[in-house]
């Protein structure tokens, strides 16, 4: 299996959809400001003229019919200002940690980031990575031994953390 096949195989399945703007929520703790300035006015005019060319990236909010914006907060704001009732989006099945990392990574390329936004974004990404690692550690310590036990009820094999495959 090639690296490309591995990357493609491990990527989450995305789904394209047009989503009502009233079903979209900003990402809680989003570190980047959406300013109502000249750049926003230009984006709003562009969306009025051409629509949204690049879809928003969103994730479903559990137990609701709403979505959390991962990438595209400025486009969403401009779309609302332009009077659009729905926007194109790609829906990714991401957990909170994966979504936090994606929020940061999708915005760090922007030219006009405040140093405070960049610092908060890196902290947010680090926290998400630590949380993800803690979940992995918990899973390995608790779920792996349970998996071994469930495979063969007559043999109780419990590996220590050092012996478990990583």
């Amino acid at each position: 299996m090639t690296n490309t096949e591995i990357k493609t195989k491990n990527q989450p399945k995305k789904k394209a959809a047009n989503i009502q703007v009233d079903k979209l929520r900003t990402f809680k703790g989003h570190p980047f400001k959406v300013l109502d300035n000249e750049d926003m006015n230009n984006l709003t005019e562009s969306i009025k003229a051409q629509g949204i060319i690049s879809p928003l990236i969103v994730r479903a909010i559990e137990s609701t019919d709403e979505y959390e914006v991962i990438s595209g907060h400025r486009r969403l704001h401009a779309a609302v200002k332009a009077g659009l009732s729905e926007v194109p989006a790609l829906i990714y099945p991401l957990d909170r940690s994966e979504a936090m990392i994606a929020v940061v990574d999708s915005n760090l390329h922007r030219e006009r980031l405040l140093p405070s936004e960049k610092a908060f974004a890196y902290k947010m990404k680090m926290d998400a990575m630590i949380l993800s690692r803690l979940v992995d550690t918990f899973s390995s310590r608790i779920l792996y031994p349970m998996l071994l036990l469930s495979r063969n009820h007559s043999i109780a094999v419990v590996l220590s953390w050092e012996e478990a495959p990583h």
Side-chain angles (χ1 to χ4, degrees):
M1 193 177 299
T2 67
N3 284 343
T4 305
E5 290 172 324
I6 291 169
K7 286 180 185 174
T8 304
K9 191 174 184 178
N10 293 332
Q11 288 181 345
K13 301 282 188 222
K14 63 184 175 216
K15 184 176 118 182
N18 285 327
I19 301 174
Q20 298 290 319
V21 295
D22 63 350
K23 299 285 185 189
L24 293 167
R25 304 290 169 251
T26 59
F27 192 85
K28 187 176 181 179
H30 187 265
F32 307 101
K33 293 182 177 131
V34 175
L35 302 174
D36 238 341
N37 56 16
E38 186 178 339
D39 287 342
M40 181 56 67
N41 291 337
N42 292 338
L43 181 56
T44 301
E45 290 305 315
S46 173
I47 287 174
K48 282 181 184 176
Q50 300 175 18
I52 295 180
I53 295 169
S54 182
L56 282 66
I57 306 296
V58 302
R59 73 180 191 123
I61 299 173
E62 290 183 32
S63 305
T64 71
D65 62 346
E66 297 177 340
Y67 300 88
E68 189 171 44
V69 177
I70 306 298
S71 176
H73 292 84
R74 294 181 71 249
R75 280 171 279 157
L76 176 59
H77 185 76
V80 170
K81 282 183 69 169
L84 298 182
S85 60
E86 65 180 26
V87 294
L90 296 175
I91 305 164
Y92 280 85
L94 302 173
D95 65 27
R96 179 75 181 165
S97 294
E98 292 167 328
M100 289 170 87
I101 293 167
V103 164
V104 172
D105 288 347
S106 67
N107 281 282
L108 285 177
H109 69 279
R110 290 182 22 211
E111 291 177 17
R112 295 184 185 142
L113 284 180
L114 297 172
S116 59
E117 289 177 314
K118 194 176 262 192
F120 185 74
Y122 278 120
K123 181 182 181 327
M124 186 175 169
K125 183 175 181 177
M126 183 182 71
D127 290 347
M129 293 170 78
I130 289 169
L131 178 62
S132 179
R133 182 68 180 144
L134 288 174
V135 168
D136 289 345
T137 299
F138 174 78
S139 296
S140 296
R141 285 187 171 180
I142 304 302
L143 299 180
Y144 183 73
M146 290 174 65
L147 175 64
L148 289 176
L149 290 171
S150 68
R151 286 186 181 163
N152 187 340
H153 297 290
S154 62
I155 301 174
V157 178
V158 178
L159 297 177
S160 70
W161 167 243
E162 289 76 22
E163 296 170 317
H166 305 289

